[in-house]
Amino acid sequence: MRTVKLIKRDALIAGSVSVGLGILFGVGSYLLQGRGTASMALVVVFAAMGAIAGWVFTSLILKNVALAKGGQLRNASVEVHWLRRAWSGALLDLVIVSALGAIAFSFGGAEAPITSVLASVVAFGLLDASVRFVFIARGES
Amino acid sequence: MHNSLRILRRQRGLTQAALAVALGVSRQTVISIEGSKYDPGLELAFAIATFFGVSIEQVFDPGE
């Protein structure tokens, strides 16, 4: 019974963070694009990225906190191993995407506000790590 | 890396959840080790060996 309550509480916290981060990303992308010219599709994509990242990472943090309270080997769990792999892969993806983006911008002569570019890079990294984590977890469960 | 965690656990009549609680890790960790999908670090490997009262070599076999 106690476990069920804990899980419900954790789901509530993860859900709240997920919604909060989703709204933050959505509003942030809307403001960064400029109020009059913002693409709603992009706002929705950013909001979804924030929500997914919020859910995955909050769930993982809460799980590790629960493990830390119950035992001593909180960093030995396989979930931490998966997270490290996901972050490593996401970092490599970020470097590749940034390099390709820099080349495309240089040779294509395109321009974009630095805030939009940075926000996109951060959002991409979070989403990439989240998706990678989910796929690793599913593949090895 | 091959291991005999599942055999040792069953010999003692433990569930994966009970072993996970005893070791202070997630149940998924026990599942992954038993399925040879995750090689634990030294800290956890020693904890497992100590818990079952055997040496690490009796739990984990590096194989060829």
Side-chain angles (χ1 to χ4, degrees):
Chain A
M1 196 67 173
R2 189 163 172 259
T3 312
V4 172
K5 278 182 183 172
L6 274 177
I7 290 169
K8 277 184 181 173
R9 190 204 62 182
D10 287 357
L12 199 65
I13 294 170
S16 304
V17 173
S18 176
V19 169
L21 213 57
I23 292 171
L24 189 71
F25 270 54
V27 171
S29 73
Y30 176 77
L31 293 176
L32 284 171
Q33 289 179 69
R35 290 181 190 183
T37 56
S39 155
M40 286 318 287
L42 209 56
V43 170
V44 170
V45 169
F46 269 80
M49 284 178 176
I52 292 168
W55 177 265
V56 170
F57 292 114
T58 312
S59 306
L60 196 73
I61 288 166
L62 289 172
K63 195 166 191 174
N64 280 322
V65 169
L67 287 172
K69 285 178 182 169
Q72 301 79 37
L73 298 172
R74 63 185 181 281
N75 288 325
S77 286
V78 72
E79 288 88 349
V80 177
H81 175 67
W82 291 341
L83 185 64
R84 286 184 187 139
R85 281 176 57 193
W87 274 122
S88 304
L91 183 65
L92 184 65
D93 289 346
L94 263 182
V95 171
I96 293 169
V97 166
S98 300
L100 291 175
I103 291 168
F105 271 66
S106 301
F107 288 101
E111 286 186 12
I114 189 69
T115 45
S116 301
V117 174
L118 285 175
S120 302
V121 168
V122 170
F124 174 79
L126 282 173
L127 184 71
D128 191 6
S130 305
V131 170
R132 277 179 172 273
F133 180 84
V134 170
F135 271 91
I136 291 169
R138 285 196 172 197
E140 300 198 0
S141 293
Chain B
M1 188 183 288
H2 300 291
N3 67 77
S4 52
L5 184 61
R6 181 175 282 130
I7 297 164
L8 288 165
R9 178 177 61 77
R10 284 180 177 166
Q11 279 174 353
R12 281 155 182 79
L14 288 167
T15 62
Q16 290 173 329
L19 179 60
V21 170
L23 294 171
V25 296
S26 64
R27 179 170 165 262
Q28 183 60 54
T29 304
V30 174
I31 293 169
S32 295
I33 296 172
E34 284 188 356
S36 297
K37 289 180 176 174
Y38 173 53
D39 294 331
L42 274 177
E43 191 184 17
L44 180 54
F46 271 104
I48 291 169
T50 304
F51 179 79
F52 288 112
V54 295
S55 65
I56 285 186
E57 290 88 346
Q58 287 174 282
V59 186
F60 298 99
D61 172 22
E64 65 269 7

